């Protein structure tokens, strides 16, 4: 059997009948940047996330960059060292300094207790919690901390559209950034992103920042960006949004099958879902102990199964951030995770027998190792 890590063609085949006419519609209109399709999608995303506003931008990375600018952040921003590079890259490009706090090894998210206990960081203006793999960060203490210390919270929910925290949709509380990169749960057919917020003034600033800071056109009060969602992406995403909850349920069912089969296998740790969380499984990520991760990955590859490592090098050890002066050992949980995590195929269209094949292979690997 050959099981790809992600096969978007299976999904496209199912919705091609709806997608193709929508794309044709955009081609016929020849309106490609922002416009009605984008405005309509923004409304539907805001509704979906229980937020007042949604602002479409060019990518999830830009969503973070523009959010930092809209909130006027210019100093230190605390975030996780165990995330996709874009979180810290956007902080840097917003002329701020990334300031890392270690993660919890069970959820791979920011260790909020540790953060709250130790929080007296000079010059810190904002925190970016990252809802990694599709599970929300524990937000109550973070929201409290933000009130106590007058900190802005900008959520990186690139992997977590549809996730919930104590019954609340991710994106319904603070300024929140989502990505429409094709491999995300709500992926476009190219780059794209969106920001949700309940704050009228922030929404207005974001709408200005994405068009070079102009309002009206050709009158610039701030220097912004060229960062717009395009109509082709909006057309595709609008169709896919209708199926998002159904696909999320399928991801959750796939995760359950994995959990059942893998909980008995010694040598790995299956994902932990915290109380009150709705996990949307952008990734199903296990931890492989005894330094066997790379060997297991190679074994799966040999047997036709795709897998991926998110992420192999903690951000505090990236060469481009050496100016921050961090060393090996500064964030031990993040470093352990980068050595041990392995993401398995979890996309909604996977078949049960495919998941069982993966489980059996992993069990077989650990019988001899
Ligand atoms: C994908 C991703 C981003 C960036 O989104 P793009 O649309 O690719 O720019 C940011 N943060 C996290 C955690 C991501 O997974």
């Amino acid at each position: 059997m050959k099981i790809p890590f992600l096969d978007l063609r299976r999904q496209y085949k199912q919705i091609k009948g709806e997608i193709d006419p929508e794309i044709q519609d955009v081609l016929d209109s020849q309106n490609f940047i922002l416009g009605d399709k984008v405005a309509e999608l923004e409304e539907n995303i805001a509704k979906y996330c229980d937020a007042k506003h949604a602002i479409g931008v060019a990518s999830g990375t830009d969503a973070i960059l523009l959010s930092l600018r809209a909130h006027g952040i210019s100093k230190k921003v605390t975030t996780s060292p165990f995330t996709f590079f874009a979180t810290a890259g956007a902080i840097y490009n917003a002329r701020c300094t990334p300031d890392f706090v270690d993660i919890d090894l069970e959820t791979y998210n920011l260790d909020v207790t540790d953060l709250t206990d130790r929080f007296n960081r000079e010059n810190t203006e904002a925190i970016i919690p990252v809802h990694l793999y599709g599970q929300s960060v524990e937000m109550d203490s973070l929201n409290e901390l933000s009130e106590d210390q007058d900190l802005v919270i900008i959520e990186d929910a690139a992997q977590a559209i549809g996730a919930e925290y104590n019954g609340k949709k991710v994106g319904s509380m603070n300024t929140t950034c989502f990505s429409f990169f094709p491999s995300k749960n709500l992926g476009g057919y190219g780059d794209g992103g969106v920001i949700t917020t309940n704050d009228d003034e922030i929404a207005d600033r974001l709408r200005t920042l994405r068009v070079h800071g102009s309002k009206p056109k050709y009158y610039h009060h701030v220097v912004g960006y060229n960062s717009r969602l395009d109509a082709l992406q909006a057309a595709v995403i609008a169709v896919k949004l209708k199926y998002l909850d159904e696909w999320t349920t399928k991801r959750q069912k796939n995760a359950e099958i994995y959990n059942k089969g893998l909980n008995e296998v010694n040598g790995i740790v299956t994902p932990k879902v915290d109380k009150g969380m709705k996990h949307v499984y952008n990734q199903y990520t296990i931890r492989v102990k005894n330094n066997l991760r790379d060997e297991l990955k190679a074994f799966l590859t040999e047997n036709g199964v795709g897998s991926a490592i998110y992420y192999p090098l903690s951000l505090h050890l990236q060469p481009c951030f050496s100016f921050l002066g961090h060393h090996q050992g500064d964030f031990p949980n993040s470093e352990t995770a980068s050595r041990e995590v392995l993401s398995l195929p979890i996309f909604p269209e996977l078949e049960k027998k495919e998941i069982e094949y993966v489980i059996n292979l992993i069990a077989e690997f650990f019988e001899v190792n």
Side-chain angles (χ1 to χ4, degrees):
M1 221 188 276
K2 262 212 157 358
I3 305 167
F5 178 65
L6 173 64
D7 184 359
L8 290 168
R9 287 167 304 186
R10 294 191 199 180
Q11 189 185 72
Y12 175 56
K13 251 190 227 155
Q14 288 173 16
I15 55 174
K16 184 174 161 54
E18 284 177 83
I19 294 272
D20 290 5
E22 283 296 320
I23 290 179
Q24 189 59 51
D25 218 33
V26 177
L27 296 184
D28 290 339
S29 80
Q30 290 290 302
N31 283 326
F32 295 112
I33 307 293
L34 295 176
D36 293 347
K37 288 252 193 236
V38 171
E40 200 181 307
L41 177 72
E42 288 174 336
E43 233 173 82
N44 288 330
I45 293 280
K47 228 181 268 167
Y48 182 82
C49 294
D50 293 325
K52 194 166 175 196
H53 305 276
I55 299 94
V57 292
S59 68
T61 308
D62 275 9
I64 302 169
L65 171 63
L66 269 66
S67 295
L68 287 164
R69 288 287 313 276
H71 280 278
I73 309 297
S74 62
K75 293 171 189 159
K76 267 203 263 178
V77 180
T78 300
T79 194
S80 164
F82 192 65
T83 170
F84 179 53
F85 179 78
T87 319
I91 292 171
Y92 179 87
N93 282 330
R95 301 173 220 130
C96 302
T97 310
D99 173 37
F100 300 115
V101 166
D102 210 356
I103 56 163
D104 174 313
L105 251 187
E106 291 195 311
T107 60
Y108 309 106
N109 280 334
L110 267 186
D111 186 339
V112 176
T113 344
D114 195 38
L115 173 69
T116 318
D117 287 350
R118 293 189 296 127
F119 215 86
N120 57 354
R121 299 181 174 221
E122 223 178 307
N123 291 327
T124 299
E125 293 177 307
I127 302 177
I128 303 188
V130 183
H131 308 310
L132 204 71
Y133 303 145
Q135 172 166 232
S136 171
V137 171
E138 204 276 282
M139 289 304 296
D140 277 353
S141 0
L142 262 194
N143 285 333
E144 243 170 66
L145 180 71
S146 115
E147 273 178 33
D148 287 354
Q149 312 243 355
D150 200 18
L151 292 165
V152 169
I153 293 184
I154 294 168
E155 300 178 41
D156 180 344
Q159 302 181 6
I161 193 157
E164 288 176 21
Y165 172 75
N166 286 339
K168 278 181 256 166
K169 273 266 167 66
V170 160
S172 65
M173 292 178 275
N174 304 293
T175 300
T176 302
C177 306
F178 298 93
S179 164
F180 297 133
F181 185 78
S183 68
K184 304 295 159 88
N185 286 20
L186 183 63
Y189 292 172
D191 277 310
V194 72
I195 305 150
T196 59
T197 178
N198 297 319
D199 185 321
D200 296 342
E201 194 179 322
I202 294 294
D204 190 57
R205 283 189 206 156
L206 287 166
R207 289 185 201 283
T208 308
L209 280 167
R210 71 177 169 180
V211 288
H212 297 287
S214 66
K215 192 188 175 184
K217 209 170 182 181
Y218 308 121
Y219 291 84
H220 303 260
H221 303 280
V222 290
V223 180
Y225 306 86
N226 174 355
S227 184
R228 280 114 25 162
L229 185 64
D230 68 72
L232 281 168
Q233 299 313 325
V236 169
I237 294 157
V239 171
K240 291 178 74 167
L241 181 59
K242 294 186 287 180
Y243 294 97
L244 181 58
D245 285 342
E246 189 185 316
W247 290 334
T248 298
T249 305
K250 286 187 175 161
R251 286 175 184 272
Q252 290 168 331
K253 283 196 177 134
N254 292 347
E256 250 172 66
I257 301 173
Y258 273 126
N259 285 339
K260 262 202 202 117
L262 293 176
N263 277 336
E264 279 135 52
V265 178
N266 275 326
I268 60 171
V269 182
T270 53
K272 182 185 169 220
V273 182
D274 264 346
K275 227 175 112 232
M277 300 292 181
K278 179 181 170 185
H279 194 320
V280 296
Y281 291 102
N282 178 245
Q283 299 302 338
Y284 181 89
T285 305
I286 59 170
R287 207 141 56 73
V288 186
K289 297 201 179 155
N290 309 319
N291 281 322
L292 288 170
R293 192 262 317 267
D294 294 340
E295 236 176 282
L296 173 62
K297 187 175 196 312
F299 179 75
L300 291 174
T301 308
E302 272 165 40
N303 287 282
V305 173
S307 61
I309 296 168
Y310 301 127
Y311 298 91
L313 183 60
S314 186
L315 296 188
H316 68 286
L317 300 174
Q318 295 289 348
C320 66
F321 290 138
S322 63
F323 71 93
L324 294 171
H326 287 301
H327 302 285
Q328 194 89 39
D330 283 357
F331 302 102
N333 287 351
S334 178
E335 292 167 27
T336 300
S338 64
R339 278 192 305 270
E340 298 187 348
V341 290
L342 187 66
S343 299
L344 304 174
I346 187 71
F347 59 93
E349 299 77 18
L350 268 181
E351 287 171 32
K352 190 166 182 219
K353 63 173 192 285
E354 294 179 302
I355 300 170
E356 283 164 351
Y357 179 75
V358 180
I359 293 169
N360 290 336
L361 275 179
I362 295 174
E364 192 187 315
F365 175 84
F366 281 103
E367 267 162 32
V368 288
N369 280 287

